[in-house]
Amino acid sequence: PLAPPPLPAPQPAQWLNCDIRRLDFAKLGKFSVVMADPPWDIHMELPYGTMRDDEMRALDIASVCDDGYIFLWVTARAMELGRELLELWGYRRCSELLWIKINHVQRLPRTGRTGHWLNHNKEHCIVGVKGDPSKHCFPLVDADVIVSEIRQTSRKPDEVYQMIERLSPGTRKLELFGRPHNVWPGWLTLGNQLGDSNVLDESIRRALGLDDSAVSKTGKPAGLASAPHLVVRGSSNRGRR
């Protein structure tokens, strides 16, 4: 494979507080990478609302990517549904990422996690490819396993963002069902728990009918106390004119 070039400085983080079920995805333009951690209905009490399987099928994810990758986090119950969705959205399953969860003493947790029969100490992320992303992607740079500590409920490891940036450096990236801790430089994050919005791309603001109030004055989502990873050197928190 080609050696990846030096990583370019990422664009400032963008996020849009919205109901993804009612969003016109076609107005967002095209992205090289999509990542989603859906609120699957796993028949357990959760600190957030869930989506029915038919609501997931109805999402127009197919319109946001012609050539690129999707990273779809799935639960045990949703593995087959996840593969179905990839095909429905025009992707071909090409790999799977595995997150091995460890605790603060770097060991596998034995109790207090999820699972009906065995304690779940891992999460699966199905990876799909669409079209021909070879012009802007550099595969075989990373392994398909992440070993990282557990944090808040449903929060995924930061390493996945770094891995994806090495795979597809400097491209447009879209995350679905994000919360404040998911906001990341170089990504547009969509979700209904983000509090406010920070849409710097004027073409998206025009397409969605948003005004300048959709640009954050703080550069971080409301309620996020500290976000040093959102500081991007050499850039400002302003949309391009």
Side-chain angles (χ1 to χ4, degrees):
L2 295 175
L7 295 181
Q11 295 296 312
Q14 301 186 80
W15 59 93
L16 176 64
N17 193 67
C18 64
D19 185 341
I20 290 177
R21 297 170 300 177
R22 294 172 173 79
L23 183 66
D24 186 348
F25 282 93
K27 293 182 178 180
L28 301 177
K30 301 296 182 180
F31 295 82
S32 297
V33 178
V34 177
M35 182 162 63
D37 182 17
W40 306 106
D41 183 2
I42 60 174
H43 311 301
M44 293 176 62
E45 285 194 20
L46 297 168
Y48 50 81
T50 59
M51 284 180 63
R52 300 189 306 274
D53 295 353
D54 60 337
E55 290 180 310
M56 291 297 305
R57 294 185 180 98
L59 296 177
D60 184 24
I61 309 301
S63 67
V64 301
C65 178
D66 292 332
D67 301 285
Y69 294 91
I70 188 168
F71 290 75
L72 181 63
W73 292 95
V74 294
T75 61
R77 189 196 73 81
M79 283 187 182
E80 292 303 320
L81 175 59
R83 294 186 178 97
E84 175 192 332
L85 292 175
L86 256 63
E87 183 176 352
L88 181 65
W89 297 335
Y91 292 90
R92 172 178 57 84
R93 180 181 175 274
C94 64
S95 190
E96 185 174 299
L97 178 65
L98 190 66
W99 171 29
I100 305 296
K101 301 177 178 182
I102 56 176
N103 57 24
H104 66 286
V105 293
Q106 310 301 295
R107 296 192 177 191
L108 294 177
R110 299 298 180 185
T111 60
R113 302 304 301 166
T114 58
H116 293 288
W117 304 104
L118 296 175
N119 201 38
H120 291 177
N121 283 319
K122 66 184 187 309
E123 288 197 30
H124 296 260
C125 182
I126 303 173
V127 184
V129 64
K130 186 177 185 180
D132 180 15
S134 60
K135 292 182 180 179
H136 51 74
C137 290
F138 297 87
L140 304 181
V141 174
D142 284 282
D144 58 358
V145 176
I146 293 175
V147 180
S148 186
E149 288 187 21
I150 304 165
R151 296 178 291 181
Q152 298 98 318
T153 300
S154 81
R155 184 171 182 176
K156 300 304 184 282
D158 292 346
E159 290 90 334
V160 71
Y161 296 98
Q162 299 156 3
M163 174 186 293
I164 291 174
E165 190 60 36
R166 289 189 291 269
L167 172 68
S168 183
T171 59
R172 297 185 80 216
K173 300 175 178 69
L174 177 69
E175 181 165 11
L176 309 177
F177 308 106
R179 290 189 283 174
H181 59 244
N182 296 111
V183 169
W184 204 266
W187 290 76
L188 171 61
T189 304
L190 308 179
N192 66 356
Q193 296 182 336
L194 293 166
D196 59 0
S197 297
N198 186 46
V199 182
L200 306 176
D201 189 323
E202 291 187 356
S203 64
I204 295 179
R205 291 209 307 271
R206 286 195 300 269
L208 296 178
L210 303 175
D211 57 26
D212 289 345
S213 65
V215 177
S216 170
K217 293 182 173 62
T218 64
K220 65 182 182 67
L224 193 62
S226 176
H229 67 283
L230 295 183
V231 178
V232 178
R233 294 181 181 179
S235 64
S236 62
N237 190 38
R238 295 182 180 179
R240 283 173 284 185
R241 301 294 178 184

